[in-house]
Amino acid sequence: MFEVTMKTSTYDKVEELITKVKKYNPQVDVGLIRHAFEVAYNQHLTQKRKSGEAFIYHPLGVAEILTDYGMDTTTIVAALLHDVVEDTNMSLSAIKQEFGAEVTNLINGVTKLGRIEFSSEAEEQAENLRKMLLAMAKDIRVIIIKLADRLHNMRTLCFLSKQKQEEKAKETLEIYAPLAHRLGMNKLKSELEDLAFFTLEPKSYVQIQKMLAQSKEERETFLNQIISQLKQELEKLGIKGQISGRTKHLYSIYQKMVKRNKQFSEIYDLQAVRVIVSSIRDCYAALGVRSEEHTSELQSH
């Protein structure tokens, strides 16, 4: 009865996954994704994670993270199968026979990266390791799958021992978050950093979180004013663009406090405004725009 219920639940998850992929890729090979799920489900059937949850939820979670970045069918399939070689009896040759060389190469690459041990905290060594990871991955999608894998693992880090949590958190800050930044995956980078920050400095994390919550209404008002003024200024220049605002993530704020030796109340650049325009010319013009009443960090892409 439990197995039937679990399979029904995971089937619902894979259908949700397919729906997400269809939104950005209407030509997705639905049958291939379902087949990859079936294989992964059967291979991991008796395995559980440290949390007690069925293991299949991990590859499903990794694949779901990748939909946020519009990854192709091959990458989604590889994500669903990325642990079968490492954790089950299924061989690469069997995967190649069922899913082809491209999927197999991605899984092989992720498996190899997973076997690298990180031991040094030195900044120079961490940079060398990041370069090594990039060099080893002949296909950049291998790194992207690995980053999604790390993010999903960080979300469930609390089920590991305290020592393991700290090791994974440090590794994440030194290796994986900078890799995500280098690949332009800033949303993923920010979440990795915040999860690692919570693990290593929980009191500071909660403190900053509370202070941000207290000033939330004021900051939202400020951002809306800035965005409104920027829209007006860009319209005057005849520039069409998308404008969005955000509060910087917790670890970023913490880093500013530490590096500048400042209290939270002394950090003024807590918000960022992003302007996306269609040309380099408009980009430089947007960077030249300044609010008359406020100043704000402006990121233009």
Side-chain angles (χ1 to χ4, degrees):
M1 182 66 179
F2 171 75
E3 183 182 333
V4 173
T5 303
M6 186 184 79
K7 195 163 189 179
T8 301
S9 175
T10 52
Y11 266 122
D12 290 342
K13 287 285 186 183
V14 82
E15 291 306 316
E16 289 173 13
L17 174 71
I18 290 169
T19 299
K20 288 182 178 180
V21 177
K22 278 183 175 179
K23 287 182 179 178
Y24 65 81
N25 179 16
Q27 307 305 317
V28 59
D29 189 338
V30 172
L32 190 62
I33 290 179
R34 288 190 180 128
H35 180 47
F37 163 74
E38 284 281 359
V39 170
Y41 179 88
N42 290 325
Q43 289 295 319
H44 294 300
L45 186 59
T46 60
Q47 298 173 343
K48 293 186 182 298
R49 306 197 77 208
K50 292 288 186 181
S51 62
E53 183 181 61
F55 192 92
I56 189 62
Y57 287 106
H58 171 63
L60 275 169
V62 173
E64 184 178 4
I65 289 169
L66 293 173
T67 64
D68 291 338
Y69 295 90
M71 300 307 295
D72 62 344
T73 303
T74 301
T75 309
I76 299 298
V77 167
L80 289 169
L81 297 165
H82 78 275
D83 275 326
V84 294
V85 173
E86 188 73 20
D87 296 329
T88 77
N89 293 324
M90 191 170 191
S91 65
L92 281 171
S93 59
I95 292 172
K96 187 174 182 179
Q97 186 174 351
E98 290 201 47
F99 297 96
E102 191 175 5
V103 169
T104 304
N105 289 337
L106 291 179
I107 294 170
N108 189 34
V110 174
T111 302
K112 286 180 178 179
L113 293 186
R115 291 171 180 165
I116 298 174
E117 294 185 5
F118 305 100
S119 57
S120 173
E121 297 180 17
E123 185 174 341
E124 183 179 349
Q125 179 66 8
E127 176 60 18
N128 288 336
L129 287 167
R130 290 193 290 271
K131 289 178 180 177
M132 181 180 69
L133 287 175
L134 287 170
M136 285 181 64
K138 296 177 181 179
D139 189 325
I140 198 65
R141 291 175 297 179
V142 170
I143 294 290
I144 293 172
I145 294 171
K146 188 63 183 174
L147 288 171
D149 173 65
R150 173 52 58 113
L151 176 57
H152 192 263
N153 281 328
M154 288 297 293
R155 288 175 178 174
T156 55
L157 198 64
C158 61
F159 296 101
L160 300 181
S161 67
K162 186 63 177 175
Q163 181 182 345
K164 281 290 183 183
Q165 287 182 42
E166 291 180 354
E167 288 175 1
K168 294 292 183 185
K170 288 178 181 178
E171 191 177 278
T172 295
L173 287 179
E174 293 167 8
I175 307 296
Y176 291 100
L179 267 177
H181 178 65
R182 186 168 295 181
L183 295 179
M185 303 174 73
N186 290 322
K187 180 183 175 184
L188 190 146
K189 165 192 171 284
S190 296
E191 187 175 352
L192 283 176
E193 288 181 337
D194 280 354
L195 289 168
F197 175 37
F198 177 73
T199 300
L200 297 171
E201 298 284 350
K203 290 183 180 178
S204 297
Y205 179 98
V206 172
Q207 183 182 25
I208 294 174
Q209 188 179 51
K210 285 181 178 178
M211 288 186 288
L212 280 175
Q214 291 170 357
S215 61
K216 181 180 179 182
E217 187 175 340
E218 181 182 345
R219 285 184 289 103
E220 287 180 350
T221 300
F222 175 81
L223 272 176
N224 288 335
Q225 289 175 347
I226 290 292
I227 290 171
S228 176
Q229 291 176 23
L230 280 173
K231 283 181 179 178
Q232 293 175 20
E233 294 299 320
L234 291 179
E235 285 174 2
K236 289 178 185 177
L237 295 172
I239 297 174
K240 293 183 179 180
Q242 300 175 12
I243 306 175
S244 60
R246 64 177 176 84
T247 296
K248 293 183 177 179
H249 65 289
L250 300 180
Y251 183 70
S252 173
I253 295 169
Y254 174 73
Q255 286 288 86
K256 290 178 184 296
M257 293 169 64
V258 171
K259 289 179 179 178
R260 301 177 190 176
N261 194 25
K262 300 283 187 181
Q263 296 297 313
F264 178 83
S265 59
E266 298 176 288
I267 303 294
Y268 297 106
D269 54 339
L270 296 176
Q271 289 88 14
V273 175
R274 173 172 293 175
V275 179
I276 303 176
V277 294
S278 58
S279 70
I280 294 175
R281 177 181 175 277
D282 286 348
C283 178
Y284 281 107
L287 283 169
V289 172
R290 290 290 184 271
S291 164
E292 294 180 359
E293 298 180 16
H294 303 286
T295 58
S296 175
E297 178 180 340
L298 180 62
Q299 297 177 321
S300 184
H301 295 269

